[in-house]
Structure formats: structure tokens, C-alpha cells
Amino acid sequence: VGRGLKPVASKRRLRRRGCEGKKRHATQQDAVGHLRWLARLRVDTKDGNLNAYHCQFCKGWHVGHLSPKLKA
């Protein structure tokens, strides 16, 4: 695309990137349970700020770091 603009990613590509490599949980309770299990194992979580969140793409729940947009 001209003038240094990057093409907009398709929704399918964003969905793949958003859920790729992540475990999908059916409920928030399942995701929070997984989060607690990771904490007990003392899994390296970088800054320790893992959260359970609802995925806009697969409509399931994942465990991950908050988006920089949401931290502010």
C-alpha cells in the first residue's frame, strides 16, 4: 500500500493471532482455575500480571497479560 501505510489485517488473521497458542476455556471459572494452577507452579509469567479474559474472537476465555491499552 502506498505512502508507507500498512495493509489492514483481515478479521480471520487477527482471530488466528489472537487465539494462536492459547488454551481456550469454556467458562471464566475454568480460566481462573488455570490461572491459579499456574501461580501454584510458579510459572514464569514475566511481570506476574496474568489475567483471565473473555476472547472477542472465539468467545471463550483465555489466560494472558493485559493489553497495554487496558493497563493505562
Side-chain angles (χ1 to χ4, degrees):
V1 180
R3 291 181 272 155
L5 299 176
K6 294 182 181 179
V8 177
S10 70
K11 284 185 180 181
R12 183 181 304 157
R13 182 172 171 207
L14 288 173
R15 184 179 309 119
R16 272 197 312 261
R17 282 187 42 211
C19 297
E20 188 175 291
K22 296 179 184 171
K23 179 173 175 55
R24 182 179 181 268
H25 300 278
T27 66
Q28 182 180 18
Q29 184 178 0
D30 289 344
V32 169
H34 186 216
L35 183 59
R36 289 181 180 147
W37 178 76
L38 290 171
R40 281 195 305 272
L41 291 178
R42 298 182 184 267
V43 171
D44 180 17
T45 61
K46 296 179 186 170
D47 57 7
N49 292 321
L50 286 179
N51 294 284
Y53 65 93
H54 190 250
C55 179
Q56 65 180 336
F57 300 114
C58 73
K59 306 301 183 212
W61 289 83
H62 298 297
V63 172
H65 293 91
L66 282 177
S67 163
K69 294 176 189 174
L70 298 175
K71 285 183 181 178

